[in-house]
Amino acid sequence: MLLGEVIGTVWATRKDPGLVGMTFLIVREVDLDGEPLPTVVVAADAVGAGVGETVLVAQGSSGRQTAVTQGKAVDAVIMAIVDRLDVVEEEAALPEVAEATDPLVL
C-alpha cells in the first residue's frame, strides 16, 4: 500500500465503458511525517476522497479487489481515507556492555 495525499483530479470524458461513473484522483506519495515524495499515481476513488486528504492506495491486482473496481481496468485504487497516524519510533534500548577491565566481568 501507498500512503499519499490527493493533489488533483483527472477528467476523462471518453473512457472505457467499465470506467464510466468512476472518479480518478492524482495522489502524491508522502512519508510518515506527511512530507511529499516524488511518486505520483492516478487512482480510482472507491471511498469519496478529496483534494488535500491523506489516503491509502492499493496497487496492482489488489487495486481490483474493491466493490467499485472489481473486474475493471484499474491498477490503483484509493481504498481508505486516513484519519490519523500513530507512529512510535523508539531508539532500541541496547544493553550496556561491560568493559573488559571491570572486575565483575566473568
Side-chain angles (χ1 to χ4, degrees), residues 9-97:
T9 304
V10 174
W11 297 94
T13 54
R14 294 185 56 141
K15 54 190 163 242
D16 182 273
L19 302 178
V20 172
M22 296 180 75
T23 301
F24 295 95
L25 299 175
I26 304 166
V27 179
R28 175 175 289 140
E29 186 174 10
V30 297
D31 65 17
L32 293 177
D33 295 320
E35 295 300 318
L37 298 172
T39 308
V40 175
V41 65
V42 173
D45 181 22
V47 294
V51 172
E53 290 189 291
T54 301
V55 296
L56 287 178
V57 175
Q59 295 179 286
S61 61
S62 296
R64 292 180 292 280
Q65 300 301 314
T66 70
V68 173
T69 59
Q70 189 86 39
K72 310 276 173 121
V74 171
D75 186 54
V77 63
I78 297 170
M79 44 104 186
I81 298 172
V82 177
D83 296 314
R84 78 179 211 199
L85 296 173
D86 291 330
V87 180
V88 178
E89 292 186 41
E90 294 181 18
E91 189 172 320
L94 299 175
E96 301 251 348
V97 178

